[in-house]
Amino acid sequence: MNAHLRDMREGDVGAVAALEAISFRDPWSAGAFREELAAPRRAYLVAEEATELVGYVGIMLVDDDAHLMNLAVRPDRRGEGLGRSLAGEAMARASAMGATRMTLEVRPSNASAIALYESLGMISVGERPGYYADTGEAALIMWGDLPAAGGAVRLGTDDAPYTELILAIETSCDETAAAVMRGGRELLADVVASQIDFHARFGGVVPEIASRKHTEAIVGVVDEALALAGEALGYDAPLPFAALDAIAVTHGPGLVGALVVGLAYAKGLAMATGLPLVGVNHLEGHIFANVLADPEVGPPLVALVVSGGHTSLVHMPEWGVYRTLGETLDDATGEAFDKVAKVLGLGYPGGPILSRLAEEGDPAAIEFPRAMMRSGDYAFSLSGLKTAVINHIRHEQQAGREIHVPDLAASFQQAIIDVQVAKAVRAVEETGATSFCLAGGVAANPALRRALTGAMERLGVHVSVPPLHLCTDNAAMIAAAAHYRYLRGERLGLDAEPITSLRLDTE
Ligand code: KG4
Ligand code: ZN
């Protein structure tokens, strides 16, 4: 069996109604399904083999309950476990949408359906007399508790993996990026147009120019992603919008003029196509670069997010639940690298240049301060270190001594690493996390990767560092994070505005 599950779309309604007509004595019409698809608090899923619809299921949320509206499998595909996959997926989805119990009614004469629901933990709780108009039969009412979602969403079943297609867009800083992802893990296209070379001449990102460049690039980048996805799926044309299940977009944090381009474009697409819009936090995206690359990464986890704009330790006790343990009080880690490189006249971005030089230097050559090392919390401060390094440079220059740049770079970098490793280790110990991951642009730093990997392995914790191409901003990581939000039924309104300091914390 090669069926896969995905959300029911407008275009499926004809086939669904046809299957409904041969499955039930009092079938719903195509119009009824169309109305259901437009109604709030519903989830309708279909099972598809190649391009043929072979089954469907629908649920409606009523208070804390999810009511199973209908489930059917094409007669020639019965007995292969598809009904079980559909019902199981509906339960997982219901639980992800916040329901705690599933209810349904079934004909008492339908022994195979009753056996299926019993095998999923549902029990008979009563009868509704005279429910079926055609036979006057009573309906058997069944219900069962749903497993606590805890944000965890099962990704389909082994027999029928969940394979929604998401187009994700990222424009929070200086990369215009689009990706197409199937089922949260299978990357069909990953396009990044970087503006770094353009901004380098100014020693950093110029926000107005970033905004303008995103505007120029976004259409081409999205088109290229759809073309590559079409190719990956063996089509001889780009993936049509109609084949997508959702549009995902970074809605913060980031530069307002940069975020607004991706968000406006994504909202426009969602409006024109009727596809749901899913908003993703950029930092969550960086964490999901690890989930994408390493299937063993999962909650409870601690992530160190270090980028040009952020330095935070984040606890994710369950999928989609975030608690910031501590963050920088002043400069971000990448920013400190960039500023020190600038003073040394090394170019932008400074992180990769300094870290390359540091590999040749002695990390113990110069004693720089380890700020907040013993502060007893998870806060960081980098501006003191930056000032100490700059003072050291000036002092040496005034004394007429030549600066040994590799030693300086290695010593500066080591001061950062010592504090970050110590705090990361304590965060893992105190939270009891079983996974640790490094995230953000600075995750490309080889010495930081080595130090954290070693420390976490000594703790016996699963440790993950993203592959280099997923460290810097990209849309693949946004798509990976969007998968979970999509399955939880989280949607961004078409009136959403960019949030430049969007918090990651869920409560
Ligand atoms: O995540 P990112 O691409 O953009 C933001 O969201 O900020 O991170 C960019 C930052 C820059 O400050 C860059 O200097 C830094 O990541 N970076 C590095 C390294 N590679 C990039 N910092 C230290 N060592 C590196 N190897
Ligand atoms: Zn970033």
Side-chain angles (χ1 to χ4, degrees):
M1 183 174 64
N2 292 310
H4 69 268
L5 307 181
R6 59 168 175 77
D7 273 31
M8 191 184 293
R9 305 177 193 130
E10 180 84 29
D12 298 320
V13 162
V16 167
L19 179 49
E20 170 92 2
I22 58 167
S23 305
F24 301 107
R25 272 173 271 177
D26 47 355
W28 283 12
S29 65
F33 280 104
R34 217 168 271 125
E35 273 173 34
E36 280 294 293
L37 285 183
R41 308 196 75 207
R42 303 289 199 279
Y44 276 83
L45 312 171
V46 299
E48 195 176 46
E49 257 176 24
T51 54
E52 287 189 40
L53 190 128
V54 292
Y56 59 87
V57 64
I59 55 170
M60 166 177 75
L61 268 71
V62 186
D63 301 325
D64 291 341
D65 292 342
H67 187 70
L68 192 121
M69 310 282 277
N70 37 19
L71 183 155
V73 173
R74 214 169 70 183
D76 61 324
R77 305 249 69 106
R78 289 186 190 148
E80 295 175 13
L82 260 182
R84 199 187 156 79
S85 290
L86 282 163
E89 188 66 21
M91 290 172 80
R93 182 70 74 90
S95 138
M97 289 167 82
T100 55
R101 185 167 55 191
M102 178 87 108
T103 64
L104 60 88
E105 79 273 331
V106 59
R107 284 183 197 256
S109 56
N110 192 347
S112 61
I114 294 169
L116 165 66
Y117 297 129
E118 281 175 344
S119 76
L120 289 165
M122 322 252 313
I123 52 165
S124 308
V125 286
E127 280 193 0
R128 167 75 174 87
Y131 181 87
Y132 294 102
D134 55 346
T135 56
E137 235 178 325
L140 180 64
I141 310 298
M142 300 182 78
W143 75 31
D145 288 339
L146 292 168
V153 176
R154 197 183 41 175
L155 313 176
T157 64
D158 288 348
D159 281 343
Y162 199 86
T163 54
E164 92 287 359
L165 286 172
I166 294 186
L167 167 69
I169 295 172
E170 149 72 40
T171 65
S172 68
C173 188
D174 57 356
E175 337 272 351
T176 317
V180 178
M181 177 81 82
R182 180 157 69 171
R185 288 205 187 269
E186 195 190 341
L187 196 54
L188 301 178
D190 180 17
V191 180
V192 181
S194 179
Q195 313 171 0
I196 277 200
D197 293 345
F198 188 88
H199 296 284
R201 73 196 73 167
F202 307 107
V205 176
V206 183
E208 293 76 11
I209 292 176
S211 180
R212 185 187 291 237
K213 293 256 160 199
H214 284 307
T215 312
E216 288 168 10
I218 186 125
V219 177
V221 166
V222 169
D223 282 353
E224 192 182 338
L226 293 171
L228 289 172
E231 222 169 88
L233 290 171
Y235 302 169
D236 47 16
L239 188 70
F241 286 116
L244 291 168
D245 293 286
I247 312 275
V249 65
T250 306
H251 71 133
L255 301 168
V256 66
L259 287 165
V260 76
V261 177
L263 186 58
Y265 193 69
K267 287 196 302 191
L269 284 180
M271 206 173 283
T273 56
L275 289 168
L277 185 66
V278 179
V280 173
N281 182 300
H282 181 75
L283 300 185
E284 177 184 28
H286 275 301
I287 295 172
F288 269 80
N290 289 279
V291 178
L292 183 55
D294 178 352
E296 279 177 47
V297 172
L301 72 74
V302 164
L304 174 64
V305 186
V306 274
S307 72
H310 297 272
T311 299
S312 11
L313 269 168
V314 178
H315 180 209
M316 183 175 94
E318 297 169 3
W319 287 118
V321 177
Y322 302 100
R323 201 158 52 88
T324 301
L325 300 170
E327 53 201 327
T328 181
L329 304 174
D330 37 60
D331 291 353
T333 308
E335 191 183 357
F337 272 92
D338 294 341
K339 285 181 177 167
V340 166
K342 194 169 179 190
V343 173
L344 290 166
L346 294 175
Y348 174 86
I353 305 168
L354 275 181
S355 76
R356 219 160 25 243
L357 288 164
E359 292 291 308
E360 316 288 314
D362 173 8
I366 310 159
E367 184 65 29
F368 286 126
R370 267 76 174 149
M372 320 276 301
M373 183 82 159
R374 280 174 238 301
S375 60
D377 58 15
Y378 297 111
F380 299 92
S381 167
L382 289 124
S383 73
L385 171 63
K386 175 192 67 190
T387 309
V389 174
I390 294 171
N391 286 343
H392 174 86
I393 297 169
R394 304 249 186 277
H395 188 262
E396 294 296 293
Q397 283 168 339
Q398 273 159 17
R401 283 192 290 269
E402 200 177 319
I403 295 162
H404 191 275
V405 180
D407 280 354
L408 179 92
S411 303
F412 157 73
Q413 181 177 278
Q414 196 58 44
I416 291 178
I417 292 174
D418 284 351
V419 180
Q420 294 189 348
V421 170
K423 298 212 178 200
V425 163
R426 204 158 61 78
V428 166
E429 285 174 341
E430 280 190 6
T431 57
T434 54
S435 270
F436 173 82
C437 59
L438 181 60
V442 184
N445 185 288
L448 182 61
R449 291 161 80 96
R450 284 195 300 269
L452 282 166
T453 306
M456 293 303 159
E457 277 171 357
R458 281 191 290 281
L459 282 184
V461 168
H462 179 77
V463 48
S464 159
V465 292
L468 290 180
H469 71 280
L470 289 178
C471 287
T472 40
D473 292 348
N474 62 83
M477 67 188 196
I478 303 302
H483 170 71
Y484 288 86
R485 289 190 179 258
Y486 172 73
L487 291 189
R488 282 196 300 273
E490 292 179 32
R491 302 292 180 259
L492 197 61
L494 292 181
D495 57 352
E497 300 281 352
I499 305 176
T500 55
S501 55
L502 182 65
R503 299 287 306 170
L504 186 53
D505 296 50
T506 22
E507 68 252 1

